[in-house]
Amino acid sequence: GRPRGVLSTHRATDELFRPGGLPLRLDSTTVMAQAAPPSWDALTLELWGPLRNGGTSVLIDGDHLTPAALRHHIARDGLNTLWLTSSLFNLFVDEDIGSFAGSTQLAIGGERLSPGHVARFVRTYPDIRLFNGYGPAENCVFSTMHRITLADCVGGADIPIGRPVAGTTVFVLDGDRPCGTGEIGELCIAGTRLARGYLGDPCRTRERFRAVDIAGLRVQLYRTGDLGRLDSDGVYHFHARLDRQVRVHGHRVEPVEIERQAGGHPAVAQCVALPETDDHGTVTGLVAAYRTTAGLAPGELRAYLAARLPAYLLPDRLVEVARMPLLDNGKLDPTTLRDLLPAELGTADRRR
């Protein structure tokens, strides 16, 4: 799609990274890797997070941070703090989990977390503080954070995105109606760190930054397009993207449900479900690409999913892939992934 510029304020950065603004420890002892592209809001975290608090930002050579580079900077510079997208985190865990040794805290996010990868990391490094950080650029890097424990990862669990951080209030809305505890709705963000809107795009700004009456008060908020819920402990959970919902043969389908169930299989390292369309753009079915750690055949995974999903949610195709392609910012590249998948498979790999 077309990139859009977010008019984030200096106040938002200062308020987020002042002492106590985040559960992530940012002080004079913090040595953080600066590896994010300069056009991405993660640059704000990696640069001003430590510098605002007397710490150190380590500039990473090359286009991307690699496990080898991480080892190098931990040994040479005392790097102890790191931010990775969940897809890049998965890659590091798979390729060289030992590269994290010597760090003390790590924030991951930007996409749904893989409970299997997270559990493996927590078991390997119980003393490294691991956080799930959630938030759009429209609210300056993070809106909520959660300290992850092993209990969060059991059985392919839904790892929480946590509680609001400094200058942030989160609402779960169905349209303009506040949702009850446990009810899924759109995550909407308010507070003093909201952006002023989109550069040169007043129509998009009016669409996403809106004032809503909540409990008798007029609240200016940003509609994230993310579905989530608030649990009885006051902790927020991410559910899915509104724009990932598709209608297949009359059924409204959320691909994340397939991904969540597949991720619960002990031999599945990662799964991504994508809609398949005809020449007119009509969704005709679903394909699920997955990586396996133990040679799991498509038929075996189908049987596993069939015992856990209604028939209309079963993918029409299951495809094993060697890797999940990433974008320059470390997130999954669904377009390239789709191009890697064969157009047709044998009948053993298709739903009959």
Side-chain angles (χ1 to χ4, degrees):
R2 296 177 56 190
R4 58 179 183 267
V6 176
L7 294 167
S8 185
T9 66
H10 292 174
R11 172 184 176 176
T13 295
D14 180 65
E15 187 170 357
L16 181 63
F17 300 132
R18 66 180 54 175
L22 290 172
L24 194 69
R25 186 173 58 250
L26 297 172
D27 56 27
S28 61
T29 67
T30 301
V31 182
M32 189 169 194
Q34 198 290 290
S39 60
W40 194 28
D41 66 328
L43 172 77
T44 303
L45 166 66
E46 296 174 341
L47 185 67
W48 295 117
L51 296 188
R52 168 68 172 77
N53 294 279
T56 302
S57 180
V58 178
L59 305 183
I60 305 299
D61 292 331
D63 294 333
H64 304 283
L65 179 67
T66 64
L70 178 57
R71 285 178 177 272
H72 168 74
H73 288 290
I74 289 174
R76 191 192 72 177
D77 304 314
L79 191 150
N80 55 32
T81 303
L82 189 65
W83 156 259
L84 293 175
T85 64
S86 57
S87 289
L88 200 55
F89 170 76
N90 296 344
L91 188 66
F92 275 52
V93 169
D94 287 337
E95 291 193 353
D96 185 5
I97 194 170
S99 64
F100 294 104
S103 58
T104 60
Q105 54 181 354
L106 169 63
I108 57 178
E111 304 164 285
R112 174 177 291 279
L113 303 188
S114 164
H117 288 87
V118 172
R120 184 179 169 196
F121 178 91
V122 173
R123 290 191 182 101
T124 305
Y125 296 109
D127 295 330
I128 295 180
R129 303 167 74 233
L130 182 65
F131 296 92
N132 186 9
Y134 165 82
E138 288 84 351
N139 195 48
C140 189
V141 190
F142 290 132
S143 298
T144 65
M145 290 197 85
H146 176 72
R147 172 79 182 273
I148 301 173
T149 67
L150 192 58
D152 292 323
C153 315
V154 175
D158 172 18
I159 298 175
I161 58 174
R163 303 175 188 273
V165 298
T168 298
T169 304
V170 179
F171 299 96
V172 182
L173 302 181
D174 177 12
D176 290 349
R177 178 186 67 84
C179 294
T181 301
E183 183 182 359
I184 293 176
E186 184 179 10
L187 296 172
C188 297
I189 298 170
T192 55
R193 294 192 300 105
L194 281 185
R196 293 176 177 172
Y198 298 112
L199 179 64
D201 195 346
C203 292
R204 181 72 170 173
T205 298
R206 287 192 296 270
E207 175 188 346
R208 302 303 291 271
F209 292 86
R210 295 175 51 190
V212 175
D213 290 320
I214 299 177
L217 297 175
R218 194 70 172 166
V219 179
Q220 181 72 21
L221 51 77
Y222 170 72
R223 292 189 172 274
T224 67
D226 292 330
L227 294 172
R229 62 182 174 86
L230 177 66
D231 68 21
S232 57
D233 294 325
V235 176
Y236 289 89
H237 298 253
F238 173 82
H239 181 68
R241 281 289 302 171
L242 271 168
D243 54 17
R244 287 196 71 197
Q245 290 183 343
V246 294
R247 189 173 291 277
V248 183
H249 307 308
H251 295 281
R252 187 168 294 281
V253 171
E254 291 181 357
V256 68
E257 296 293 346
I258 301 169
E259 297 164 356
R260 181 184 291 116
Q261 291 297 334
H265 193 291
V268 174
Q270 189 175 4
C271 178
V272 177
L274 300 169
E276 296 194 284
T277 59
D278 59 20
D279 294 338
H280 303 287
T282 301
V283 176
T284 58
L286 295 166
V287 57
Y290 69 97
R291 289 193 307 109
T292 177
T293 58
L296 181 68
E300 295 176 280
L301 180 55
R302 178 171 301 286
Y304 177 85
L305 291 175
R308 292 163 174 80
L309 292 172
Y312 70 86
L313 266 179
L314 284 176
D316 295 88
R317 298 199 290 146
L318 287 164
V319 185
E320 182 183 348
V321 296
R323 65 182 181 89
M324 294 291 182
L326 304 181
L327 295 164
D328 287 343
N329 64 8
K331 295 187 179 183
L332 178 77
D333 183 352
T335 302
T336 300
L337 175 60
R338 195 186 302 274
D339 292 340
L340 293 175
L341 303 181
E344 293 292 336
L345 299 174
T347 55
D349 296 339
R350 295 187 65 88
R351 180 173 59 182
R352 306 300 286 171

